[in-house]
Every structure is written in C-alpha cells, then in structure tokens.
Amino acid sequence: MENNDLENEFRTGKISVPSSNKTMIKGVLVCLLVLAMLIPVPFILNLIEERQESKAKVINEISSKWSGKQTVYGPFVEIIYLEDIKDENGKTVKHQNVKYVSANDLTINGNIDTQLKSRSIYEAVVYNSKINIQSKFMSFEEMLTDAELSRENIVSTKVVFGISDTKGYENKVIVNSGGKSYSLIADTKTIVLETLPEPAANDGNTYVEKNGAKSMHVQFMVQKIDPLTFDFNQVSIALTMKGSQELNFIPSAINTKVDLTTNWKDLKYDGNFLPNEDPTKKQGKTNVKWSVYQQNPLQGQIWQDASNFKDYSFGVNFLQMNDHYDKTYRSTKYAILFIGLTFIAFFFIENRNKFNIHLVQYALVGFAISVNFVLLLSLSEYIGFDFAYFISSGATILLITFFVYSFLKSFNLTFKISLMLILLYAFIYSVLQLKEHALLVGSIGLFFIVAILMYYSRNIEWNKTN
C-alpha cells in the first residue's frame, strides 16, 4: 500500500527527480547515442576500400597496356658448354649445359621522366626512362678458369640482358663493346625467378604456376659474341625503356653503382639496399644514388640457377602520396571526434542555457556528419580531395547551422556551434595534409581539445540536487 502511494506521487510530480540525476542520465544517453552514430562508419570505410580496389584494378590495367613494374637484369655473359655425363645405359655422353657470369663493376645512370595516365576517374604513375649501363667483366680466360671449363668444350658465348616486362622496350637493345655494336634479340628460353606472394592481376608481368605458387619468368635478350674479339672490360648499353609504378635493379656485379634522377617527388626506396646518401632535390628533380659492394654477388659471380634474383633487388617506388582515398579513409576515422565533440557542445549548451535538445535532434546531426564522409568520397573522385573537403564540410556545417538555429532560436549559440565546427574541420584538414608529423600535430591538437572540454565541464552541476 505504501509503495503504491509513493509510485502515485512520483507519477504526479509530487516527488521530484534530482537535477544532477537528470544531467547524468542525459549525459549517458548522449554517450550511447555517440556510439550508435558510429555504426555507419565501418560501412563507409568498407565503401572506401572497395573504391580503392577498383582504382587498383584500373591502375594494373593501365600498367599492363603501357608497361608494368620494371626490374633491370644484367648484362651477363652466358657460356654454353659440353660436359660428360652417364646416360641410362652407363655410357659417357656429351650434355649441353650453361653458366652465367656477372660483371666485376656495374654502373647505371638513369633519367626517369614520370607522368600520370588517366582512365575514367583514376590515374596511374607511368614513366619513360633513358638508362646508360656500363659493365666491366673479367677476361674470358679468367671466366673459364673460375668456372672450371676448358675452351674446347665451349659451344657458344653470348651477352645477355633483360627487363621484367618486354613491352617496356622502346627501341632495339644494342650492346657496344670495343667499338663494335651487338644488336640483341629475344631468346627462346627464360630464367625462372623466385616464388612470389600473390601478385596483382593484370600488372603487366607474366606469371606461371610452380610448385603450387606463382612465379615470374623473364625473357632475356641475347647475342652471340666472339670471346676473342669482344672487349669484356668495356660493355655498355644505352637503354630507352618505359614502365609504371616501380623501377628496380639487380646488383649483379661485385661493385654496383646506380645514379637516378627523376621528376617525381614522392619516392619510396624498396628492396635490400637503401641509398647511400640522402636524396638531393634541385630544380624540381630528385637525385638518388646507391653504391653496393658484394664480395660474392647473387649466388656467386658464376652461377647456373637464378631462382632468387629478386632477393637482391632494390629501387624506387613512385608513390601517389596522400591520394584522396587515403585522406578520405583517414578523415572518416575521425568520425568519433566529429560526432563526439558536436554532441558534447550540444550537451554543454543545453545544460548552461536550460535548453532541452531532443535525442532525435542529436541523431539527425550525427547522420548529417556521417553523410558528409560519403559526400566527401564521391566528390573527391572527380575534383580531388581538397576541393571536395571544402565543399562537403561547408555544406555539412551550413546544414547543421540552419538546423540548430531552427530549435535554439539563438544567433549567439548557433554562431558558437558553427565556429566550433569550422575550427574542427579546419584542424582535421590540416592534420590530413601532413605526412610524417601528422601524429605529433594530431596528438597535440587532441590534448588541447580535451583541455577545453575539461574547462567548460566545470560549470555543469553534476553533484548539486534540488
């Protein structure tokens, strides 16, 4: 009976709920709503990833038609010889075999001219290059001695050179030595490279199945030479080649030096060797140098199986830094900051000014912020990230401003909320433009945001009861 009387008094308002409890309940509900508003974020991030995958497919398709990622192999000297083996009947027969010889010194100088190729709304980095290759080999007699071969068993001697995607050749490959020119022709056989991780489809390279994994073949260019007249101490190739995304080299000599100049600013240095010096930039071009010394290059200076060629490669990757997908993905990760700070601002305003902002109004503002990221993604594919960010964020701020003013009816409070949103979007934009220092600037900014929130939260009456 007594419990029923208390319940009736609570319903009729004769028993009041402490204001601190109301504030706490509203705060908890707002926090739960912030979490609920984050539900669309994984779907938006997944959408961005799908668009990135579509871009990767188009880039690979462009690369396959232009020329794929390039790796430069050689030059080498190929010695085909006869050796005695036992056949199945126990008879001694002559069997033809091959050995390859790497250079003592390999010097490569290249000028890489990059450009962007567009298809639909996507762009891929491609390049034309002019590469001068100078090699010095040991004498032919030294080759025979080190390879433990006799001259009478030599069938033929060839100079060998190759790149990973033969579509990249823009003219004949000619080897110059001792005042003579040797025009290289495609060989019928290939050298199997190492087992690769799952390669991208249509990336311009030819793959085959080997032991259940995908491997890559390289078709070499060769030409027979007369070892008696060929100058092994002076071998040069003037190569004009095109490719896309990456350019790598095999340090096949004891001393390998590479000097590259490119007009592309954002470079990543891949492979087993880093540049020996910091890259220098002058007149819009970047110069980078490698110097690699190996007492025993590849599998030895004289070898037969090149199955781990790529284990030694190094070179440059022409990055599209901070592209619009990357920036949109990163900005979407700040959704909790956008939604959380906006809701906290609403919460502080309604407590300090005795307003009652409905949770549905909170939710509508949260949805507007979520839609902003989809709008940013779609616009950035056509007009770039910067313009898309200004348009989408400006439209979202205006939408929230008019919506807030419709129920607050206060120009001063609406202006404060709009100013907060402008500062927040400007702060996130500045962080997205940074590369190495993004974490530092972002963490400092978040620290000051937390400090501001703590300052304004002091006026909320968390403990006072009526």
Side-chain angles (χ1 to χ4, degrees):
M1 186 69 176
E2 183 179 348
N3 290 337
N4 291 336
D5 291 338
L6 287 173
E7 188 175 331
N8 291 331
E9 290 178 1
F10 179 82
R11 290 177 187 169
T12 57
K14 293 180 181 180
I15 295 179
S16 61
V17 178
S19 60
S20 62
N21 289 348
K22 291 181 180 179
T23 302
M24 185 62 69
I25 292 172
K26 187 63 174 286
V28 170
L29 291 176
V30 169
C31 290
L32 292 176
L33 190 58
V34 170
L35 297 177
M37 289 294 100
L38 295 178
I39 292 176
V41 172
F43 296 99
I44 299 174
L45 293 175
N46 185 58
L47 177 61
I48 297 172
E49 291 174 351
E50 288 180 0
R51 301 300 293 176
Q52 283 181 309
E53 290 175 1
S54 298
K55 178 184 177 181
K57 290 179 181 178
V58 173
I59 289 176
N60 288 330
E61 188 173 347
I62 294 174
S63 299
S64 67
K65 297 180 184 302
W66 174 266
S67 183
K69 302 174 183 178
Q70 292 289 16
T71 300
V72 177
Y73 302 88
F76 310 111
V77 173
E78 179 186 79
I79 301 175
I80 301 175
Y81 63 96
L82 297 175
E83 63 177 350
D84 294 332
I85 64 170
K86 297 286 187 181
D87 65 9
E88 56 186 16
N89 298 320
K91 292 184 178 181
T92 300
V93 295
K94 295 289 186 179
H95 174 73
Q96 188 169 290
N97 210 336
V98 61
K99 286 189 177 182
Y100 297 90
V101 182
S102 298
N104 287 337
D105 297 289
L106 175 63
T107 303
I108 299 174
N109 294 285
N111 184 45
I112 317 301
D113 183 21
T114 60
Q115 57 181 301
L116 290 173
K117 286 287 183 181
S118 301
R119 179 169 182 177
S120 183
I121 60 176
Y122 303 111
E123 293 179 328
V125 182
V126 301
Y127 58 82
N128 295 89
S129 61
K130 292 184 177 180
I131 299 175
N132 183 39
I133 301 172
Q134 302 283 340
S135 296
K136 293 182 179 180
F137 291 84
M138 66 179 76
S139 68
F140 189 65
E141 290 300 326
E142 290 175 316
M143 293 182 191
L144 296 180
T145 300
D146 290 353
E148 299 180 347
L149 299 175
S150 59
R151 186 179 289 273
E152 58 270 18
N153 288 329
I154 303 302
V155 175
S156 66
T157 305
K158 300 178 182 179
V159 61
V160 180
F161 179 79
I163 60 176
S164 52
D165 189 352
T166 55
K167 289 194 298 296
Y169 291 121
E170 293 195 291
N171 53 23
K172 282 187 176 181
V173 182
I174 298 175
V175 173
N176 295 292
S177 177
K180 295 183 179 180
S181 297
Y182 301 85
S183 181
L184 303 187
I185 58 175
D187 198 1
T188 56
K189 57 180 175 293
T190 60
I191 293 181
V192 179
L193 300 180
E194 89 289 356
T195 300
L196 302 171
E198 190 66 24
N202 302 320
D203 65 354
N205 294 319
T206 302
Y207 296 95
V208 296
E209 293 288 338
K210 181 185 178 184
N211 298 327
K214 288 198 173 182
S215 299
M216 187 172 71
H217 282 180
V218 174
Q219 184 176 39
F220 283 97
M221 308 289 286
V222 303
Q223 185 56 265
K224 287 185 177 181
I225 58 174
D226 182 356
L228 297 178
T229 59
F230 190 83
D231 186 358
F232 291 96
N233 195 48
Q234 187 181 8
V235 180
S236 64
I237 299 175
L239 177 66
T240 302
M241 178 187 68
K242 61 184 180 180
S244 59
Q245 301 180 64
E246 293 182 19
L247 174 59
N248 296 292
F249 302 92
I250 303 297
S252 55
I254 295 176
N255 292 289
T256 302
K257 294 183 179 180
V258 177
D259 187 334
L260 295 182
T261 301
T262 177
N263 60 341
W264 195 258
K265 294 184 294 183
D266 296 312
L267 301 174
K268 177 186 175 185
Y269 306 108
D270 287 333
N272 284 333
F273 302 97
L274 291 175
N276 294 76
E277 305 172 1
D278 291 334
T280 58
K281 296 183 180 181
K282 187 177 181 180
Q283 297 179 345
K285 292 194 174 183
T286 302
N287 179 256
V288 56
K289 298 178 180 180
W290 290 263
S291 181
V292 179
Y293 172 77
Q294 304 169 100
Q295 191 170 1
N296 196 30
L298 300 180
Q299 296 172 323
Q301 196 170 6
I302 299 176
W303 38 269
Q304 289 179 288
D305 180 17
S307 62
N308 66 344
F309 254 167
K310 291 283 285 185
D311 292 343
Y312 299 87
S313 69
F314 66 89
V316 292
N317 189 334
F318 303 97
L319 298 177
Q320 291 177 274
M321 290 293 291
N322 279 340
D323 67 6
H324 56 270
Y325 289 117
D326 179 53
K327 290 182 178 179
T328 304
Y329 194 90
R330 290 169 58 198
S331 65
T332 305
K333 287 187 174 182
Y334 288 101
I336 187 171
L337 191 60
F338 285 104
I339 298 173
L341 287 180
T342 304
F343 283 15
I344 289 173
F346 282 12
F347 182 71
F348 285 173
I349 286 173
E350 72 169 303
N351 278 274
R352 293 190 63 182
N353 298 275
K354 308 305 179 183
F355 284 116
N356 183 22
I357 302 176
H358 199 277
L359 290 178
V360 172
Q361 294 168 321
Y362 277 94
L364 290 174
V365 172
F367 280 124
I369 295 174
S370 296
V371 171
N372 165 70
F373 298 116
V374 180
L375 183 63
L376 172 61
L377 171 63
S378 58
L379 289 175
S380 65
E381 292 186 323
Y382 292 91
I383 61 177
F385 179 82
D386 293 337
F387 288 115
Y389 190 90
F390 292 135
I391 293 174
S392 62
S393 60
T396 302
I397 291 172
L398 285 175
L399 177 63
I400 294 175
T401 297
F402 285 116
F403 180 66
V404 169
Y405 184 77
S406 68
F407 59 81
L408 289 183
K409 302 298 182 182
S410 171
F411 178 81
N412 184 43
L413 295 177
T414 304
F415 174 77
K416 289 181 179 179
I417 291 178
S418 301
L419 180 62
M420 181 208 70
L421 290 173
I422 292 173
L423 293 175
L424 177 60
Y425 277 87
F427 167 70
I428 298 300
Y429 177 79
S430 64
V431 171
L432 293 174
Q433 299 308 303
L434 300 174
K435 298 176 186 176
E436 293 85 357
H437 306 299
L439 178 60
L440 175 64
V441 174
S443 59
I444 293 174
L446 289 175
F447 177 83
F448 280 107
I449 289 173
V450 172
I452 293 171
L453 293 177
M454 293 173 68
Y455 175 79
Y456 279 101
S457 67
R458 78 193 196 285
N459 295 319
I460 298 179
E461 299 174 350
W462 301 100
N463 300 316
K464 184 178 178 180
T465 58
N466 291 336

